[in-house]
Amino acid sequence: MSTSEFERPIYPQLNAPPRLLLGPGPSLVDPRVLQVMGAPLVGHLDPFFLDLMDRTQSLLRYVYQTKNKLTIPVSGTGSAAMEAAVANMVEPGTPVLVCINGYFGGRIAEMAARYGGEVQTINRPWGEIFPPEEVKAALHQRPAEVVAIVHAETSTGALQPLDEIASIVHELGGILIVDAVTSLGGVPLQVDELDIDVCYSGSQKCLSCPPGISPITLGQRAVQRLENRQSKVANWYLDLSMVQAYWGSERTYHHTAPISMVYGLYEALRIVVEEGLENRWERHRLNAGMLWDGLEEHGLELHVPLEYRLPSLTTVRVPDGVDELVVRQGLLRDYNIEISGGLGELKGKVWRIGLMGFSSRRENVRLLLSALADLLK
Ligand SMILES: *Cc1c(COP(=O)(O)O)cnc(C)c1O
């Protein structure tokens, strides 16, 4: 056997640039989180790890403000948690209603259709929110067993109020899935209080952990729905009835947990609890307010009205005659700062600025504002 046919690829050791991450995610990671991720690996059934799983679940319940037993991190990024929510709640023929006012609502609808759901959508321009009456009217016209809505639309910067949505959905016998990827840990969200049935998130937004592990929680109605399914969950990897057997008391092997990611999430959640949820929400709100004021002082226009503007992600309109990409490239090249451009309907029209978790700091807001002022001169 000879390997001479292949030239050996010799590269320098990895040397990642220290970016200031102020885009739609990933956000900056607290050094404490990176440090624990380098801790010695243990087996996924090691008593140390089983104990860590229990603690992680208890931290997650606090951060979600829920007593739900089935509260676990899904292996994979936020889209994996989204897919877990959809795959476990939707069967072939399930009537589904998806509220779409941005990119991620569209992704949920796409997934629900792939799992055989009879998907109906209601739509709003990107940057707007749904009044509860609109959801109600849609459900009266055509009842749905599963309703999905995005709490914090990262593509638009709009924050969807959830107060009345769950009771509307429940009155008509449905269950409510909420995408909280860009709100959990940064924006007020209380799963039990709001009576949400399925709520999923991600690690790399307001929780400030690297991407790759994603919290999900299921309430009693959702667990019952899972138990009463006619067909098996069409996604083996994300079948929560099997995954929960590992995270619950049975500890049955399903797939190897991403051990180091659980270390990271554990520490990231500990940091949230240390700060306190309310303080954390307030910090996100204050720093966002400072960003909004600064942007407006520079003559820039914000895309979403203050009333339902999202603190963790701000959309700023690109002024006429400015090439949005040139500004973003300048920020990265000259200031080491990452922000993002618009998606879909808002492509080329807005910048997206994230102030999430560890990234949400006064000094970062000041740096970005002065860099932007320089580049726009
Ligand atoms: C980021 C995001 C997702 C998808 O998460 P990934 O980690 O990119 O897979 C889903 N929904 C919302 C609202 C998001 O912001």
Side-chain angles (χ1 to χ4, degrees):
M1 290 286 241
S2 165
T3 59
S4 61
E5 196 187 325
F6 296 91
E7 206 182 321
R8 293 167 67 195
I10 310 284
Y11 297 119
Q13 193 185 345
L14 185 96
N15 183 19
R19 303 287 195 214
L20 177 49
L21 298 177
L22 300 180
S27 59
L28 288 176
V29 174
D30 191 307
R32 278 169 57 184
V33 172
L34 291 176
Q35 198 185 355
V36 301
M37 289 182 72
L41 207 63
V42 298
H44 63 281
L45 293 171
D46 190 297
F48 168 82
F49 191 69
L50 297 181
D51 186 43
L52 188 70
M53 289 164 68
D54 289 343
R55 292 189 201 177
T56 303
Q57 288 183 277
S58 123
L59 288 162
L60 276 178
R61 289 190 191 102
Y62 171 79
V63 173
Y64 266 128
Q65 294 282 286
T66 184
K67 297 199 167 71
N68 289 343
K69 185 157 172 281
L70 182 40
T71 303
I72 59 173
V74 172
S75 307
T77 66
S79 305
M82 180 192 284
E83 187 138 3
V86 171
N88 284 272
M89 291 298 109
V90 175
E91 293 189 72
T94 302
V96 181
L97 174 70
V98 184
C99 310
I100 303 181
N101 57 350
Y103 180 83
F104 291 102
R107 184 177 288 186
I108 300 173
E110 165 72 22
M111 283 184 188
R114 289 191 189 202
Y115 285 97
E118 298 290 333
V119 181
Q120 183 201 12
T121 65
I122 48 176
N123 295 270
R124 279 254 155 194
W126 289 31
E128 292 186 11
I129 51 169
F130 290 92
E133 307 80 60
E134 209 167 302
V135 178
K136 193 174 195 164
L139 285 174
H140 275 288
Q141 221 170 51
R142 178 182 172 277
E145 289 176 22
V146 176
V147 178
I149 198 162
V150 177
H151 186 212
E153 239 314 338
T154 323
S155 62
T156 71
L159 178 63
Q160 173 68 47
L162 295 171
D163 303 312
E164 297 161 54
I165 308 271
S167 62
I168 290 169
V169 172
H170 294 153
E171 251 166 50
L172 295 161
I175 64 123
L176 177 65
I177 298 178
V178 170
D179 176 318
V181 176
T182 295
S183 55
L184 187 71
V187 176
L189 170 72
Q190 296 178 277
V191 164
D192 284 3
E193 173 90 18
L194 290 165
D195 209 8
I196 297 168
D197 301 299
V198 181
C199 189
Y200 61 86
S201 188
S203 54
Q204 79 274 24
K205 314 257 167 123
C206 298
L207 297 178
S208 272
C209 176
I213 190 160
S214 302
I216 191 167
T217 185
L218 273 74
Q220 205 41 56
R221 288 185 203 86
V223 170
Q224 234 155 44
R225 188 172 171 84
L226 181 57
E227 283 167 0
N228 295 341
R229 285 179 65 103
Q230 304 290 308
S231 60
K232 283 188 177 175
V233 175
N235 186 314
W236 184 89
Y237 194 70
L238 298 171
D239 182 341
L240 291 177
S241 54
M242 283 151 74
V243 176
Q244 81 166 333
Y246 171 56
W247 281 87
S249 48
E250 294 152 60
R251 306 298 190 185
T252 317
Y253 165 74
H254 176 253
H255 66 268
T256 309
I259 310 284
S260 307
M261 288 304 313
V262 177
Y263 290 176
L265 180 64
Y266 171 75
E267 191 61 16
L269 294 169
R270 255 171 38 81
I271 291 168
V272 175
V273 173
E274 238 173 60
E275 181 174 7
L277 266 182
E278 278 148 318
N279 293 335
R280 201 171 168 96
W281 296 337
E282 177 70 359
R283 171 166 61 85
H284 280 79
R285 207 184 56 72
L286 285 176
N287 291 331
M290 185 173 152
L291 173 70
W292 299 340
D293 291 347
L295 290 168
E296 285 179 334
E297 275 163 28
H298 290 315
L300 293 164
E301 219 182 303
L302 302 180
H303 180 64
V304 175
L306 183 59
E307 194 194 338
Y308 47 88
R309 195 181 293 154
L310 180 60
S312 46
L313 189 118
T314 300
T315 38
V316 193
R317 297 214 175 113
V318 177
D320 285 341
V322 172
D323 184 338
E324 71 88 15
L325 184 60
V326 170
V327 174
R328 278 195 289 134
Q329 286 169 340
L331 279 173
L332 197 65
R333 187 188 55 235
D334 301 336
Y335 299 88
N336 232 354
I337 298 176
E338 177 185 281
I339 67 165
S340 169
L343 278 178
E345 268 181 33
L346 297 176
K347 193 171 163 59
K349 295 185 183 150
V350 298
W351 289 298
R352 291 185 298 150
I353 302 172
L355 290 175
M356 305 179 185
F358 195 69
S359 291
S360 171
R361 305 165 78 89
R362 290 169 74 85
E363 61 267 35
N364 294 345
V365 175
R366 292 214 181 87
L367 274 169
L368 175 65
L369 287 172
S370 34
L372 263 181
D374 267 355
L375 287 166
L376 289 172
K377 252 203 307 256

